[in-house]
Amino acid sequence: MTNTVNNGGDIYDRRESEARSYCRGFPTTFTAARGSELTDESGRRYIDFLAGCSSLNYGHNDPDMKAALIEHIAGDGLAHGLDLHTDAKAAFLRAFETHILKPRGMDHRLMFTGPTGTNAIEAAMKLARKSTGRSNIVAFTNGFHGVSMGALAATGNGYHRGGAGTDLGGGITRLPFDGYMDGFDSADLLEQMLTDNSSGLDAPAAIMLETVQGEGGLNAASPEWVARIARLAREHGALLIIDDIQAGCGRTGGFFSFEGMGFTPDIITMAKSVSGFGLPLALVLVRPEHDVMGPAEHNGTFRGNNHAFVTARIAIEKFWADDSFQRSVEARAKVVEDGLQKLAAMIPGARLKGRGMMRGVDVGSGQLAGDICGQAFENGLIIETSGPEDEVVKILAPLTTPDTVLRKGIDILLDAARTTIDGNQIAAE
Amino acid sequence: MTNTVNNGGDIYDRRESEARSYCRGFPTTFTAARGSELTDESGRRYIDFLAGCSSLNYGHNDPDMKAALIEHIAGDGLAHGLDLHTDAKAAFLRAFETHILKPRGMDHRLMFTGPTGTNAIEAAMKLARKSTGRSNIVAFTNGFHGVSMGALAATGNGYHRGGAGTDLGGGITRLPFDGYMDGFDSADLLEQMLTDNSSGLDAPAAIMLETVQGEGGLNAASPEWVARIARLAREHGALLIIDDIQAGCGRTGGFFSFEGMGFTPDIITMAKSVSGFGLPLALVLVRPEHDVMGPAEHNGTFRGNNHAFVTARIAIEKFWADDSFQRSVEARAKVVEDGLQKLAAMIPGARLKGRGMMRGVDVGSGQLAGDICGQAFENGLIIETSGPEDEVVKILAPLTTPDTVLRKGIDILLDAARTTIDGNQIAAE
Amino acid sequence: MTNTVNNGGDIYDRRESEARSYCRGFPTTFTAARGSELTDESGRRYIDFLAGCSSLNYGHNDPDMKAALIEHIAGDGLAHGLDLHTDAKAAFLRAFETHILKPRGMDHRLMFTGPTGTNAIEAAMKLARKSTGRSNIVAFTNGFHGVSMGALAATGNGYHRGGAGTDLGGGITRLPFDGYMDGFDSADLLEQMLTDNSSGLDAPAAIMLETVQGEGGLNAASPEWVARIARLAREHGALLIIDDIQAGCGRTGGFFSFEGMGFTPDIITMAKSVSGFGLPLALVLVRPEHDVMGPAEHNGTFRGNNHAFVTARIAIEKFWADDSFQRSVEARAKVVEDGLQKLAAMIPGARLKGRGMMRGVDVGSGQLAGDICGQAFENGLIIETSGPEDEVVKILAPLTTPDTVLRKGIDILLDAARTTIDGNQIAAE
Amino acid sequence: MTNTVNNGGDIYDRRESEARSYCRGFPTTFTAARGSELTDESGRRYIDFLAGCSSLNYGHNDPDMKAALIEHIAGDGLAHGLDLHTDAKAAFLRAFETHILKPRGMDHRLMFTGPTGTNAIEAAMKLARKSTGRSNIVAFTNGFHGVSMGALAATGNGYHRGGAGTDLGGGITRLPFDGYMDGFDSADLLEQMLTDNSSGLDAPAAIMLETVQGEGGLNAASPEWVARIARLAREHGALLIIDDIQAGCGRTGGFFSFEGMGFTPDIITMAKSVSGFGLPLALVLVRPEHDVMGPAEHNGTFRGNNHAFVTARIAIEKFWADDSFQRSVEARAKVVEDGLQKLAAMIPGARLKGRGMMRGVDVGSGQLAGDICGQAFENGLIIETSGPEDEVVKILAPLTTPDTVLRKGIDILLDAARTTIDGNQIAAE
């Protein structure tokens, strides 16, 4: 590294808000990225097991998307089109219908919200409330749905909630997620409260959940639990909202995280990897009977990002036209699982968490998890933590990561863990 | 036009949410855009007086930004970088500091939120509340700040408010904007209520306003009124938030809409044209003493869109390194004003509204305004309405629109108005 | 008894909450009361110009009510009957129907809530919301409706609002009361906001007001303004709630404060003097079409206080069977007005406020008003202040106060004012 | 009097709100009451197992209280005194200190709120929020705290919640009460959520509960569970509010329902039987360090009902100067328990519920419970149901009920149950 200052340096201290975050754990300036690797200004290369928090499921700068995007721009294709019809949008819609919705028998419509996950969540909550005429939404412990006020009310994390600087108001009932306490099925509690007229649980407009809680610590609900929640929602006139922003787009294997669980959600929120290229794009899938927003009733200047439509279409056509990608993800998931089991075996009490390519190890403390990630970065691996106390070391590698790179990254992680644990033991002696 | 169906067609009816809006008024499929013109799939060209609702202040596909963006992509520059340091971000920050902040003596920091205006507003409201320890925010009649729950509570429009499907909770006190009622200075009322301990106005965390209300009907506050509000905010311990999402980036002449009014806001929200190219990017400018969010306390996967940093930097360097652009905007604004005065003169009771290149005519009814815009579209002009009843025909042309194109667009508008008015008279006879 | 300590003394400091209030300004222990006079433990007598804040409009221990109550108790009449039918309740209802409702052509029903004003307000707000299906209630600057959470949200006073220790939530839009600012008719603003779809004023369930704001500083709305508000409410589908808790029961002349204004409210709240004897009783008068609470949907153990029904019936029959009492009140009101004009004349800038027997003088500062009241107490008069800064010396004497007592009380007040002003001048020299 | 119409009759239909309730189940007009018996206008006598919902723990018209009250009134004692010092208040405070607080080592102060339970709850919630600076209050399934907006938000019952006609806002987290689900200790869940920073449970100002949920169905928490909740509250900086409005004043044996559980609440709310005579009186007991309301910051015209002070003092001196009353209650509770066990034995699946003299039987359906109570009324017994589906036949007899009367009432109840069950069986055959 020659000189951070030249290519950024104290401009961040001087002019970027204290809210900046990842740059604190990975203190260098990145200049290029391809596939599963990042390069910094000194030319050093890093394996990326963070992948934009699952926003880069197909890796950085996928060559096919890149080519199509450059062609679009070079040809003066629209960048910004509000919600006008454009050729790029039409092509994306057709691909999404052909390869995603039709094969799964889904009649959902696509609502393009502002291109962030939290916008999609806000729209989903509004749709559910407007469609049902009810206000209350059931959300779960450790759920993370975003930090705008509506989504934040549904988010469990106290640090983020505190950022509101005010009460988050009503409209949310919080219940325990699957596995929150041993020997207790929280669906039993939900059912009891839904059935008991005096439980204080106002009839819900929706029940909203992530099948695997990403920020909450890679808590994977069992398919049976999720299916039961879906059934309870239906029985009690509530919509089921699956927040697939982090767990969708192949992260857990299928395009949607709930595939094979035996139900279809009323509303699905997507963002992160939906553009395929890391470009901002979000969408809400909603069944026609709940597609109740009038024209522009939920709007936003950047709904429908045409550059993102171009890459998103390629992503659909390239990865989801048949099941080969899904099968390759499942194979890679096994590699990740094997590696993380080795990590868990190093640390007394550590637990493997998550599902598919959304896995991690609860190492018991945020301090230890952070130290391991810090050591890994020294050795050329970008990897992060999650969980209420940042106690889970998580792997969110691109789903396209070649086996050799995946194994190399895991080796760096295991080495980092060993070094950290050894260092701690020496320090303790 | 050969066949809408081929390039989109019923895919929209079948699969796009009813929330879609602009496409209903401009029912064609656009395929290319350059400067102030759009082209549809049949090759027809349209003059664009909508400009992405002021998101394309520098026109479509500006050649310099386009070249830089293609170069960035071709070189595997990062697309998505969370809030990691990147060369593109550093270069943008330096340009923004050099050409925008320093010359105006501003010590503000930039907070990159999710890349939509409503995200920036949510962050601004949270900053103000967290920094002051107060909850209440004063917002104004006809203000429009976005449709996520926090921003929507501050938004006046009943149609958008209704989309929430629930009460929007507390935390907002609504007061009349400048000029809301004849013979009444609403700043007097604000002062009285701030001073009177029994007014029911809880001590505000912030007073938030647009200097020109875009969606609210191009209501331009007088500089004296805004300055008095700024003074009242300071005297009563409230932060002043200027929402410059639509009025900023040169739309009213200067980079900020409040320049020359004699105060500096504590917090400024920007989005729309800040990327210069129509790419999603939003930012919150906040004085260091109110930069109180901890790391990732307000976060979002798409904060910091690197493609947008590339184009935003070019936009700053190309248009804001000296005052030539601002002067050219002022000249074009005169052309627009002259044209709209002609429009106003055609319609009894019509009033010219707005400021700078954010102008319109209140034609007295949403029906008439809509008919004029519909007629203009037939003649190759894309132009929209705003205001509580959509009664204002507004021109939001790119600030870079060449004089000939600007005049041609205005001529189409005036012709459309004449045709519409004549048609109405015939119908009435 | 010669010693305060024996009959109370430090028991208050030791065991009564700091929330105690009037006892601080009138620091003695009272042992008996009759008509317009109180007696303390030392045998000293005081003229009572406070009258339980208008809860003792017919004076203390009215002999007829007293006799009936003793007879009721002695005969083992019910004290507590929940909302069971009792002879005492039936007799009260018949008297109220015969002497109050029928002569005024009112078809209202009586809802007995918990026997406090704030309970009546809570019920009224709930009725309006349930009946209209709307949430928002318009309340006014300086309005005071109670301190339970629903009523407190509608109350303007910042000191009381602060007692909530939390935000008071949504559901209230605050607008300026009549005369809040010179040269500005706040009904114009209300009408504009009700008509303007983008004003941010959500369609109201109710507009709620006191015709004379008691705690807010004896602000008397003009009959024309109130009538216009009533008309606006009707035109916009909102119920009109008149909070007659302090201004009703003859305080302004008629049984209701709005008599002769040309409208009938949808809902009227009453408490304070409705029992006639100072016993807790509250009621909500509601038109049959808005009588929408199901059985016990709004309940409370003490709704329907049978002792209070006994005295309330006597009060109705004794004072409201013909117009002689009302005429006598009007005569006394003239005496009060004359007296207060003398007070106002002593103090530069002082203003006479209020209406009927609910009058006061704004002396310009809470300090001066408090000093005058303190001096008056020294001289045997109990009199209090109101207003946002406690700047109004108010007379709320029993409506039955004999002329000689009334004049004697006024003389004490004027003497106290003179002494205070002279003292201040000497101090200033 | 032989005719209901004469003494009430259609006056109720014509003029009393539909919210009236108990009178529907006991459709006669009562004219006198003494001890545990009521008399109606036809001279018929009824045993009272409802006792004003536990507001008449010492029976109707206790002769000592009655004598003292008549003496007070006859001597022109104050009826209404705002919160002025009076001899009646001082005497009550001294008695309460001497016989209740001192023997239990309690340093609490008494705050007199408006004389209803819901007012006391509102004050308690405000005290907790103001004292801690936090907003959230933990309340429990099936809790009932009142129907003003603050209290109603904490109340679980859906029917009552629906009466608000609007969302009840934020500020409450609802958790399962003790025994809500088999095989699950809800204190475990509370502890987990308090400890987990990402549970979505905002740090609570208070945890509020009834030790026996009266309206919720006579759910008696175990002393161990309540003690653990008390401990969790203390450990997490939350105040413990015990709502003893229904369970206090001897209803469960001791003066407070939590005696002997090993903790002292920070705040206790009392109403119902605190006046002893059925007169409206409420109070909040608060530890000095949380006595944070300023003068009149929480106020109300009827705080401090002097008639009620007179009877409340007698009640304290007569029943609580030694432990003989408590022992007699415990003996009567055994009689009630024995009787209800017989009732439970008649009905398959029926369960005995409650504690002390606050007992009932869950008969499995509201229909059956209602039929039994209706039949009992035919036979001269006033008895009511509770629970979310009104499925619990409850006995809330005066604590002073003589054994013979108690046994006679129980016999009527058992007969009524037999008749009802037999009738149902015949109907089913």
Side-chain angles (χ1 to χ4, degrees), chain A residues 96 100 106 110-111 113-121 242-250 254-258 267-275 281-285 316, chain B residues 302:
Chain A
F96 200 86
I100 304 297
M106 294 169 67
L110 284 75
M111 178 171 165
T113 65
T116 67
T118 201
N119 262 301
I121 291 290
I242 296 291
D243 176 350
D244 239 11
I245 291 170
Q246 185 162 147
C249 295
F255 187 79
F256 297 114
S257 73
F258 52 81
I267 298 178
I268 303 153
T269 55
M270 310 207 77
K272 292 195 184 273
S273 278
V274 81
S275 80
L281 185 65
L283 54 87
V284 175
L285 300 178
I316 297 293
Chain B
F302 293 117

Short mmCIF file of all heavy atoms in Angstrom, two decimals, chain A residues 96 100 106 110-111 113-121 242-250 254-258 267-275 281-285 316, chain B residues 302:
data_model
loop_
_atom_site.label_atom_id
_atom_site.label_comp_id
_atom_site.label_asym_id
_atom_site.label_seq_id
_atom_site.Cartn_x
_atom_site.Cartn_y
_atom_site.Cartn_z
N PHE A 96 -38.54 -12.57 -15.67
CA PHE A 96 -38.94 -12.93 -14.31
C PHE A 96 -40.20 -13.79 -14.33
O PHE A 96 -40.33 -14.77 -13.59
CB PHE A 96 -39.19 -11.66 -13.49
CG PHE A 96 -39.14 -11.89 -12.00
CD1 PHE A 96 -37.93 -11.85 -11.33
CD2 PHE A 96 -40.29 -12.16 -11.27
CE1 PHE A 96 -37.88 -12.07 -9.95
CE2 PHE A 96 -40.25 -12.38 -9.91
CZ PHE A 96 -39.03 -12.34 -9.24
N ILE A 100 -39.06 -17.44 -13.26
CA ILE A 100 -39.27 -17.48 -11.80
C ILE A 100 -40.72 -17.77 -11.47
O ILE A 100 -41.02 -18.75 -10.78
CB ILE A 100 -38.83 -16.14 -11.15
CG1 ILE A 100 -37.37 -15.81 -11.50
CG2 ILE A 100 -39.06 -16.19 -9.64
CD1 ILE A 100 -36.34 -16.80 -11.00
N MET A 106 -46.76 -19.17 -9.58
CA MET A 106 -47.07 -17.96 -8.80
C MET A 106 -47.76 -16.91 -9.67
O MET A 106 -47.30 -16.61 -10.76
CB MET A 106 -45.77 -17.39 -8.21
CG MET A 106 -45.15 -18.32 -7.17
SD MET A 106 -43.47 -17.82 -6.68
CE MET A 106 -43.81 -16.28 -5.82
N LEU A 110 -45.34 -7.68 -9.67
CA LEU A 110 -44.12 -7.03 -9.20
C LEU A 110 -44.40 -5.55 -8.96
O LEU A 110 -44.84 -4.84 -9.87
CB LEU A 110 -42.99 -7.16 -10.22
CG LEU A 110 -42.30 -8.53 -10.29
CD1 LEU A 110 -43.18 -9.55 -10.99
CD2 LEU A 110 -40.95 -8.42 -10.98
N MET A 111 -44.11 -5.12 -7.76
CA MET A 111 -44.20 -3.69 -7.47
C MET A 111 -42.77 -3.19 -7.27
O MET A 111 -42.03 -3.73 -6.45
CB MET A 111 -45.01 -3.51 -6.19
CG MET A 111 -45.13 -2.07 -5.75
SD MET A 111 -46.35 -1.99 -4.38
CE MET A 111 -45.97 -0.34 -3.76
N THR A 113 -40.47 -0.60 -5.91
CA THR A 113 -40.43 0.47 -4.92
C THR A 113 -39.09 1.19 -5.06
O THR A 113 -38.28 0.84 -5.92
CB THR A 113 -40.53 -0.13 -3.52
OG1 THR A 113 -39.37 -0.93 -3.29
CG2 THR A 113 -41.76 -1.01 -3.39
N GLY A 114 -38.87 2.18 -4.23
CA GLY A 114 -37.52 2.71 -4.14
C GLY A 114 -36.56 1.53 -4.00
O GLY A 114 -36.91 0.53 -3.38
N PRO A 115 -35.36 1.62 -4.60
CA PRO A 115 -34.52 0.43 -4.80
C PRO A 115 -33.75 0.00 -3.56
O PRO A 115 -32.57 -0.34 -3.66
CB PRO A 115 -33.57 0.89 -5.91
CG PRO A 115 -33.39 2.34 -5.63
CD PRO A 115 -34.72 2.83 -5.12
N THR A 116 -34.38 -0.01 -2.41
CA THR A 116 -33.69 -0.50 -1.21
C THR A 116 -34.61 -1.50 -0.52
O THR A 116 -35.83 -1.46 -0.68
CB THR A 116 -33.38 0.64 -0.23
OG1 THR A 116 -34.60 1.15 0.30
CG2 THR A 116 -32.61 1.77 -0.90
N GLY A 117 -34.00 -2.34 0.27
CA GLY A 117 -34.78 -3.34 0.98
C GLY A 117 -35.81 -2.71 1.90
O GLY A 117 -36.96 -3.15 1.98
N THR A 118 -35.40 -1.66 2.58
CA THR A 118 -36.31 -1.06 3.55
C THR A 118 -37.53 -0.44 2.86
O THR A 118 -38.64 -0.46 3.39
CB THR A 118 -35.55 -0.06 4.44
OG1 THR A 118 -36.28 0.14 5.65
CG2 THR A 118 -35.30 1.27 3.74
N ASN A 119 -37.33 0.06 1.64
CA ASN A 119 -38.47 0.56 0.87
C ASN A 119 -39.43 -0.57 0.53
O ASN A 119 -40.65 -0.38 0.57
CB ASN A 119 -37.97 1.19 -0.43
CG ASN A 119 -37.86 2.69 -0.32
OD1 ASN A 119 -38.84 3.35 -0.06
ND2 ASN A 119 -36.67 3.21 -0.52
N ALA A 120 -38.88 -1.71 0.17
CA ALA A 120 -39.73 -2.84 -0.16
C ALA A 120 -40.53 -3.28 1.07
O ALA A 120 -41.72 -3.59 0.99
CB ALA A 120 -38.89 -3.99 -0.70
N ILE A 121 -39.88 -3.28 2.21
CA ILE A 121 -40.56 -3.65 3.46
C ILE A 121 -41.66 -2.65 3.78
O ILE A 121 -42.79 -3.02 4.13
CB ILE A 121 -39.55 -3.73 4.62
CG1 ILE A 121 -38.59 -4.91 4.43
CG2 ILE A 121 -40.27 -3.81 5.97
CD1 ILE A 121 -39.22 -6.27 4.61
N ILE A 242 -43.00 -12.80 3.46
CA ILE A 242 -41.65 -13.35 3.60
C ILE A 242 -40.66 -12.30 3.13
O ILE A 242 -40.71 -11.86 1.98
CB ILE A 242 -41.49 -14.66 2.80
CG1 ILE A 242 -42.43 -15.74 3.35
CG2 ILE A 242 -40.03 -15.13 2.85
CD1 ILE A 242 -42.09 -16.27 4.74
N ASP A 243 -39.82 -11.90 4.04
CA ASP A 243 -38.74 -10.96 3.73
C ASP A 243 -37.56 -11.78 3.21
O ASP A 243 -36.83 -12.38 3.99
CB ASP A 243 -38.37 -10.17 4.99
CG ASP A 243 -37.19 -9.24 4.76
OD1 ASP A 243 -36.53 -9.34 3.70
OD2 ASP A 243 -36.90 -8.42 5.66
N ASP A 244 -37.46 -11.83 1.88
CA ASP A 244 -36.40 -12.64 1.25
C ASP A 244 -35.27 -11.77 0.73
O ASP A 244 -34.56 -12.15 -0.21
CB ASP A 244 -37.01 -13.48 0.11
CG ASP A 244 -36.80 -14.99 0.34
OD1 ASP A 244 -36.39 -15.36 1.46
OD2 ASP A 244 -37.04 -15.78 -0.59
N ILE A 245 -35.11 -10.63 1.36
CA ILE A 245 -34.11 -9.68 0.88
C ILE A 245 -32.70 -10.27 0.99
O ILE A 245 -31.92 -10.15 0.06
CB ILE A 245 -34.24 -8.35 1.67
CG1 ILE A 245 -35.55 -7.67 1.27
CG2 ILE A 245 -33.05 -7.44 1.43
CD1 ILE A 245 -35.92 -6.47 2.12
N GLN A 246 -32.41 -10.92 2.09
CA GLN A 246 -31.07 -11.50 2.23
C GLN A 246 -31.05 -12.98 1.87
O GLN A 246 -30.07 -13.47 1.31
CB GLN A 246 -30.54 -11.30 3.67
CG GLN A 246 -29.10 -11.76 3.84
CD GLN A 246 -28.37 -11.24 5.06
OE1 GLN A 246 -27.55 -11.91 5.61
NE2 GLN A 246 -28.68 -10.04 5.51
N ALA A 247 -32.13 -13.68 2.18
CA ALA A 247 -32.10 -15.13 1.99
C ALA A 247 -32.54 -15.57 0.60
O ALA A 247 -32.37 -16.74 0.23
CB ALA A 247 -32.99 -15.81 3.05
N GLY A 248 -33.07 -14.65 -0.20
CA GLY A 248 -33.53 -15.01 -1.54
C GLY A 248 -32.42 -14.99 -2.57
O GLY A 248 -31.23 -14.88 -2.25
N CYS A 249 -32.81 -15.10 -3.85
CA CYS A 249 -31.87 -15.06 -4.97
C CYS A 249 -30.81 -16.15 -4.86
O CYS A 249 -29.63 -15.92 -5.17
CB CYS A 249 -31.20 -13.69 -5.09
SG CYS A 249 -32.35 -12.37 -5.49
N GLY A 250 -31.22 -17.31 -4.42
CA GLY A 250 -30.32 -18.46 -4.42
C GLY A 250 -29.48 -18.63 -3.19
O GLY A 250 -28.80 -19.65 -3.02
N GLY A 254 -32.63 -22.39 -3.53
CA GLY A 254 -33.63 -22.00 -4.52
C GLY A 254 -33.67 -20.49 -4.71
O GLY A 254 -33.05 -19.74 -3.95
N PHE A 255 -34.46 -20.06 -5.72
CA PHE A 255 -34.56 -18.62 -5.92
C PHE A 255 -35.19 -17.96 -4.70
O PHE A 255 -34.75 -16.90 -4.26
CB PHE A 255 -35.38 -18.30 -7.17
CG PHE A 255 -35.35 -16.84 -7.49
CD1 PHE A 255 -34.26 -16.27 -8.13
CD2 PHE A 255 -36.40 -16.00 -7.13
CE1 PHE A 255 -34.21 -14.90 -8.40
CE2 PHE A 255 -36.36 -14.64 -7.41
CZ PHE A 255 -35.26 -14.09 -8.04
N PHE A 256 -36.21 -18.63 -4.17
CA PHE A 256 -36.80 -18.14 -2.93
C PHE A 256 -36.36 -19.05 -1.78
O PHE A 256 -36.16 -20.24 -1.97
CB PHE A 256 -38.34 -18.15 -3.02
CG PHE A 256 -38.88 -17.25 -4.08
CD1 PHE A 256 -39.54 -17.76 -5.19
CD2 PHE A 256 -38.76 -15.87 -3.97
CE1 PHE A 256 -40.06 -16.92 -6.17
CE2 PHE A 256 -39.27 -15.02 -4.96
CZ PHE A 256 -39.92 -15.55 -6.06
N SER A 257 -36.30 -18.49 -0.60
CA SER A 257 -35.81 -19.27 0.54
C SER A 257 -36.86 -20.22 1.07
O SER A 257 -36.55 -21.11 1.85
CB SER A 257 -35.39 -18.32 1.67
OG SER A 257 -36.54 -17.75 2.28
N PHE A 258 -38.12 -20.03 0.65
CA PHE A 258 -39.20 -20.83 1.21
C PHE A 258 -39.62 -21.96 0.27
O PHE A 258 -40.62 -22.64 0.54
CB PHE A 258 -40.41 -19.94 1.52
CG PHE A 258 -40.82 -19.09 0.35
CD1 PHE A 258 -41.62 -19.63 -0.67
CD2 PHE A 258 -40.40 -17.78 0.24
CE1 PHE A 258 -41.98 -18.86 -1.76
CE2 PHE A 258 -40.75 -17.01 -0.86
CZ PHE A 258 -41.55 -17.55 -1.85
N ILE A 267 -47.06 -11.99 0.16
CA ILE A 267 -46.17 -10.89 -0.23
C ILE A 267 -44.73 -11.34 0.02
O ILE A 267 -44.45 -11.97 1.04
CB ILE A 267 -46.46 -9.61 0.59
CG1 ILE A 267 -47.90 -9.12 0.32
CG2 ILE A 267 -45.45 -8.51 0.28
CD1 ILE A 267 -48.29 -7.88 1.12
N ILE A 268 -43.86 -11.02 -0.93
CA ILE A 268 -42.43 -11.34 -0.79
C ILE A 268 -41.64 -10.07 -1.09
O ILE A 268 -41.93 -9.38 -2.07
CB ILE A 268 -42.01 -12.44 -1.80
CG1 ILE A 268 -42.87 -13.69 -1.61
CG2 ILE A 268 -40.52 -12.77 -1.66
CD1 ILE A 268 -43.01 -14.52 -2.89
N THR A 269 -40.69 -9.76 -0.23
CA THR A 269 -39.84 -8.60 -0.49
C THR A 269 -38.47 -9.08 -0.95
O THR A 269 -37.91 -10.02 -0.41
CB THR A 269 -39.66 -7.75 0.78
OG1 THR A 269 -39.17 -8.59 1.83
CG2 THR A 269 -40.97 -7.12 1.21
N MET A 270 -37.95 -8.39 -1.97
CA MET A 270 -36.64 -8.74 -2.51
C MET A 270 -35.83 -7.45 -2.74
O MET A 270 -36.39 -6.42 -3.08
CB MET A 270 -36.78 -9.47 -3.83
CG MET A 270 -37.75 -10.63 -3.77
SD MET A 270 -37.36 -11.92 -4.99
CE MET A 270 -35.97 -12.72 -4.18
N ALA A 271 -34.54 -7.56 -2.60
CA ALA A 271 -33.66 -6.44 -2.92
C ALA A 271 -32.27 -7.05 -3.12
O ALA A 271 -32.14 -8.01 -3.86
CB ALA A 271 -33.67 -5.39 -1.82
N LYS A 272 -31.27 -6.51 -2.48
CA LYS A 272 -29.90 -7.01 -2.51
C LYS A 272 -29.52 -7.61 -3.88
O LYS A 272 -29.24 -6.86 -4.81
CB LYS A 272 -29.69 -8.03 -1.38
CG LYS A 272 -29.76 -7.36 0.01
CD LYS A 272 -29.21 -8.26 1.09
CE LYS A 272 -29.35 -7.67 2.48
NZ LYS A 272 -28.24 -6.83 2.87
N SER A 273 -29.59 -8.93 -4.01
CA SER A 273 -29.04 -9.55 -5.23
C SER A 273 -29.99 -9.58 -6.40
O SER A 273 -29.67 -10.20 -7.42
CB SER A 273 -28.56 -10.97 -4.92
OG SER A 273 -27.27 -10.93 -4.34
N VAL A 274 -31.10 -8.93 -6.32
CA VAL A 274 -32.07 -9.09 -7.39
C VAL A 274 -31.57 -8.46 -8.69
O VAL A 274 -31.89 -8.94 -9.79
CB VAL A 274 -33.47 -8.58 -6.96
CG1 VAL A 274 -33.60 -7.09 -7.07
CG2 VAL A 274 -34.57 -9.28 -7.73
N SER A 275 -30.74 -7.42 -8.60
CA SER A 275 -30.18 -6.84 -9.83
C SER A 275 -29.03 -7.68 -10.36
O SER A 275 -28.60 -7.49 -11.50
CB SER A 275 -29.66 -5.42 -9.57
OG SER A 275 -28.38 -5.47 -8.97
N LEU A 281 -31.84 -2.17 -6.62
CA LEU A 281 -33.14 -2.57 -7.17
C LEU A 281 -33.87 -3.33 -6.07
O LEU A 281 -33.26 -4.14 -5.35
CB LEU A 281 -32.98 -3.47 -8.40
CG LEU A 281 -34.30 -3.83 -9.13
CD1 LEU A 281 -34.96 -2.60 -9.73
CD2 LEU A 281 -34.04 -4.86 -10.25
N ALA A 282 -35.13 -3.03 -5.92
CA ALA A 282 -35.94 -3.74 -4.94
C ALA A 282 -37.29 -4.02 -5.57
O ALA A 282 -37.74 -3.30 -6.45
CB ALA A 282 -36.12 -2.90 -3.68
N LEU A 283 -37.90 -5.07 -5.11
CA LEU A 283 -39.26 -5.32 -5.60
C LEU A 283 -40.06 -6.05 -4.55
O LEU A 283 -39.53 -6.71 -3.66
CB LEU A 283 -39.25 -6.06 -6.94
CG LEU A 283 -38.49 -7.37 -7.08
CD1 LEU A 283 -39.39 -8.52 -6.67
CD2 LEU A 283 -38.11 -7.54 -8.57
N VAL A 284 -41.35 -5.85 -4.69
CA VAL A 284 -42.32 -6.52 -3.82
C VAL A 284 -43.16 -7.40 -4.72
O VAL A 284 -43.73 -6.92 -5.70
CB VAL A 284 -43.21 -5.49 -3.09
CG1 VAL A 284 -44.29 -6.19 -2.28
CG2 VAL A 284 -42.37 -4.60 -2.19
N LEU A 285 -43.21 -8.68 -4.40
CA LEU A 285 -44.10 -9.58 -5.12
C LEU A 285 -45.39 -9.67 -4.32
O LEU A 285 -45.35 -9.96 -3.12
CB LEU A 285 -43.47 -10.97 -5.24
CG LEU A 285 -42.13 -11.02 -5.99
CD1 LEU A 285 -41.60 -12.46 -5.99
CD2 LEU A 285 -42.31 -10.52 -7.41
N ILE A 316 -31.30 -13.50 -14.26
CA ILE A 316 -32.39 -14.49 -14.31
C ILE A 316 -32.13 -15.51 -15.42
O ILE A 316 -32.22 -16.73 -15.21
CB ILE A 316 -33.74 -13.77 -14.56
CG1 ILE A 316 -34.08 -12.82 -13.42
CG2 ILE A 316 -34.86 -14.80 -14.79
CD1 ILE A 316 -34.39 -13.46 -12.11
N PHE B 302 -27.48 -0.56 0.07
CA PHE B 302 -27.10 0.18 -1.13
C PHE B 302 -26.60 1.59 -0.82
O PHE B 302 -26.53 2.42 -1.72
CB PHE B 302 -28.26 0.22 -2.11
CG PHE B 302 -28.61 -1.13 -2.68
CD1 PHE B 302 -29.85 -1.71 -2.46
CD2 PHE B 302 -27.68 -1.83 -3.45
CE1 PHE B 302 -30.18 -2.95 -3.00
CE2 PHE B 302 -28.00 -3.07 -3.97
CZ PHE B 302 -29.24 -3.64 -3.76
#
